[in-house]
């Protein structure tokens, strides 16, 4: 089985699973199909040679976010309400978002990425994609090394800002969970440990008149 056949198999399964995610009314089934989408996308990235992004999808999205969504949905016990959905409005919004996404992809493909100059890789030569042989590929940096060089050189400021935003989100979640209400009855362990056992238990003789 060639890589092209595997690519089409994973792509078709991803598209079907993505349609099931947005069409199913049960939130648990939607999250399960979302995990299938992430797994097939990771397989496609692995076929394309982007092994770092592939394992990043599996570890971050499938291993953390999707499983978290699944447990949260199951614990909340979301009930299906009989709400009528206007599919025409959703269809128009979906078309608009798809057009914006296609414009962004087309714009990204038209631009020559200048960040690759920092690692000594040229994507285009005379307006054509550069063909690199396996012998020359050995001397080039790996995908993980290339992503690290790009992140910490051309996009270092953006990388630090994202880390700062994640730090603020983590601190905010800790502060929200530590917010204690005044009217809540709590267990006082010290008073329970220092109590007198003779005053706690009292024996009553029921046969005595």
């Amino acid at each position: 089985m060639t890589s092209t056949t595997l690519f089409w198999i994973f792509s078709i399964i991803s598209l079907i699973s993505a349609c099931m995610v947005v069409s199913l009314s049960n939130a648990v089934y939607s999250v399960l199909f979302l995990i299938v989408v992430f797994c097939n996308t990771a397989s496609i990235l692995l076929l394309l040679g982007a092994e770092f992004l592939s394992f990043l999808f599996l570890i971050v999205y499938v291993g953390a976010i999707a499983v978290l969504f699944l447990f949260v949905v199951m614990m909340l016990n979301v009930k299906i309400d009989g709400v009528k959905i206007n599919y025409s409005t959703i269809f128009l919004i979906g078309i608009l978002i798809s057009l914006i996404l296609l414009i962004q992809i087309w714009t990204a493909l038209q631009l020559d990425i200048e960040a690759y100059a920092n690692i000594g890789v040229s994507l285009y030569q005379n307006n054509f994609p550069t063909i690199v042989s396996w012998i020359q590929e050995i001397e080039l940096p790996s995908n993980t090394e290339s992503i690290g060089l790009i992140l910490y050189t051309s996009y270092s400021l953006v990388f630090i800002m994202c880390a700062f935003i994640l730090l603020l989100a983590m601190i905010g979640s800790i502060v929200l969970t530590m917010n204690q209400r005044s009217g809540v009855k709590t267990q006082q362990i010290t008073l329970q440990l220092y109590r007198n056992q003779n005053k706690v238990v009292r024996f009553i003789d029921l046969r005595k008149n």
Side-chain angles (χ1 to χ4, degrees), residues 11-188:
S11 300
I12 293 171
I13 296 175
S14 299
L15 290 175
I16 296 173
S17 301
C19 293
M20 297 297 290
V21 169
V22 297
S23 61
L24 288 175
S25 58
N26 195 334
V28 177
Y29 293 156
S30 297
V31 176
L32 291 176
F33 277 106
L34 183 63
I35 294 175
V36 176
V37 173
F38 286 149
C39 292
N40 285 278
T41 306
S43 301
I44 293 173
L45 291 173
L46 190 62
L47 286 176
L48 295 176
E51 65 277 356
F52 178 78
L53 294 178
S54 175
F55 289 106
L56 191 66
F57 259 78
L58 289 176
I59 295 172
V60 176
Y61 287 100
V62 179
I65 299 177
V67 175
L68 178 63
F69 284 169
L70 183 61
F71 278 102
V72 168
V73 168
M74 293 177 67
M75 284 190 296
L76 290 178
N77 193 11
V78 179
K79 296 182 179 179
I80 303 172
D81 298 329
V83 180
K84 294 183 179 180
I85 302 174
N86 190 0
Y87 290 100
S88 60
T89 306
I90 298 176
F91 184 72
L92 293 175
I93 295 174
I95 291 176
L96 180 61
I97 295 175
S98 300
L99 288 176
I100 294 173
L101 182 61
L102 289 175
I103 291 172
Q104 290 178 350
I105 294 174
W106 183 79
T107 306
L109 292 177
Q110 295 298 321
L111 296 176
D112 190 6
I113 303 176
E114 297 178 356
Y116 280 93
N118 296 326
I119 59 175
V121 177
S122 178
L123 293 180
Y124 293 95
Q125 187 176 5
N126 297 326
N127 295 326
F128 289 99
T130 305
I131 299 175
V132 181
S133 62
W134 287 104
I135 299 176
Q136 296 177 355
E137 183 113 2
I138 298 175
E139 300 177 356
L140 294 176
S142 62
N143 293 331
T144 308
E145 186 179 357
S146 302
I147 293 173
L149 290 173
I150 292 173
L151 283 178
Y152 290 104
T153 53
S154 300
Y155 300 98
S156 59
L157 181 61
V158 179
F159 185 77
I160 294 172
M161 289 176 63
C162 292
F164 185 70
I165 292 172
L166 291 175
L167 178 63
L168 290 178
M170 183 177 65
I171 295 174
S173 61
I174 294 173
V175 171
L176 289 175
T177 54
M178 291 180 63
N179 187 12
Q180 298 180 358
R181 293 179 293 179
S182 59
V184 178
K185 294 182 179 179
T186 57
Q187 186 179 10
Q188 297 179 1

